[in-house]
Amino acid sequence: METERFEALMDAIIAIIITLIVMEFPFPKTTTIPSLLELYPQFVSYTLSFIICYNFWNYHHNIFGVLNKINSRITWMSAISIMVMGLLPHLTIMVSENFHSFTAQALFGLIFIITNINVYIVNYLLLSADKGNIALHVMLKNYKKDTVGTTVLFIIGYIIGYFLYPPAIMLFCLLTMIGNIIKPMM
């Protein structure tokens, strides 16, 4: 199966998700600094949502750069990630309006966890479908170790979020994404 149409579909859906998130961003009551600072939960929520979308798009962009073929199992598993990410605009609003609520933060983090698990499964399916692709194998050589590390960070974030500070869940999602950005630079 060719990948160009699938890539275009993923690009379009992610663009729509980001557009919906931006459209829900509130305006400040006035143009003063204190009024802008009142919107910090919205800024934080929007920024993290954008980074999640970009991280997912970047993952697919890099994978499809070396991928020779895909199959319907891969497209369906990726579609599940996009379906889950489609909830991101609603959960971004929920968490920005209830920033210190464990439930809102936990649901927001759940999107990240489900997407991460799904990427792990897609990586496995990609390696199975394109066994002779050395570039793909090199790119995904650490995916099992990375998934375990990410899962441990999520568990720590959820524990801290439940017992001490609910926004810690968002912070630990951000830490895992920063780790994904820094890791290739090393």
Side-chain angles (χ1 to χ4, degrees), residues 60 82 85 104-105 120 162 166:
H60 275 91
I82 287 291
M85 284 183 63
Q105 292 284 348
Y120 177 82
Y162 183 75

Side-chain angles (χ1 to χ4, degrees), residues 1-172:
M1 181 183 299
E2 303 221 2
T3 65
E4 291 84 18
R5 292 187 71 197
F6 184 67
E7 290 176 76
L9 176 66
M10 298 289 266
D11 290 350
I13 293 172
I14 290 171
I16 291 168
I17 291 169
I18 291 172
T19 302
L20 291 172
I21 293 169
V22 169
M23 289 178 67
E24 293 296 328
F25 200 82
F27 290 103
K29 294 174 185 163
T30 64
T31 56
T32 63
I33 297 295
S35 185
L36 286 171
L37 291 176
E38 286 178 17
L39 296 177
Y40 85 91
Q42 287 82 0
F43 280 115
V44 171
S45 303
Y46 165 75
T47 302
L48 189 56
S49 295
F50 180 85
I51 292 171
I52 289 171
C53 289
Y54 179 78
N55 196 30
F56 189 73
W57 175 86
N58 190 46
Y59 160 79
H60 275 91
H61 174 72
N62 291 332
I63 288 292
F64 285 111
V66 298
L67 197 60
N68 294 325
K69 57 185 171 182
I70 60 173
N71 59 33
S72 62
R73 292 185 335 176
I74 294 166
T75 58
W76 275 105
M77 286 307 294
S78 294
I80 290 170
S81 285
I82 287 291
M83 179 187 73
V84 171
M85 284 183 63
L87 297 172
L88 201 54
H90 300 292
L91 292 175
T92 301
I93 295 165
M94 181 191 303
V95 81
S96 67
E97 291 177 357
N98 305 287
F99 197 70
H100 296 283
S101 162
F102 173 76
T103 304
Q105 292 284 348
L107 288 172
F108 187 88
L110 191 60
I111 294 238
F112 197 74
I113 292 169
I114 291 170
T115 303
N116 245 14
I117 291 169
N118 193 281
V119 165
Y120 177 82
I121 294 167
V122 168
N123 287 344
Y124 174 78
L125 293 173
L126 288 168
L127 291 171
S128 298
D130 204 356
K131 291 181 182 177
N133 190 335
I134 295 169
L136 181 66
H137 284 269
V138 169
M139 181 181 282
L140 298 178
K141 70 179 177 185
N142 293 325
Y143 80 96
K144 288 180 187 176
K145 182 177 71 171
D146 294 343
T147 302
V148 170
T150 301
T151 304
V152 169
L153 278 175
F154 285 144
I155 291 169
I156 292 169
Y158 270 81
I159 290 170
I160 293 171
Y162 183 75
F163 288 109
L164 299 172
Y165 184 64
I169 295 169
M170 287 180 102
L171 176 65
F172 277 82

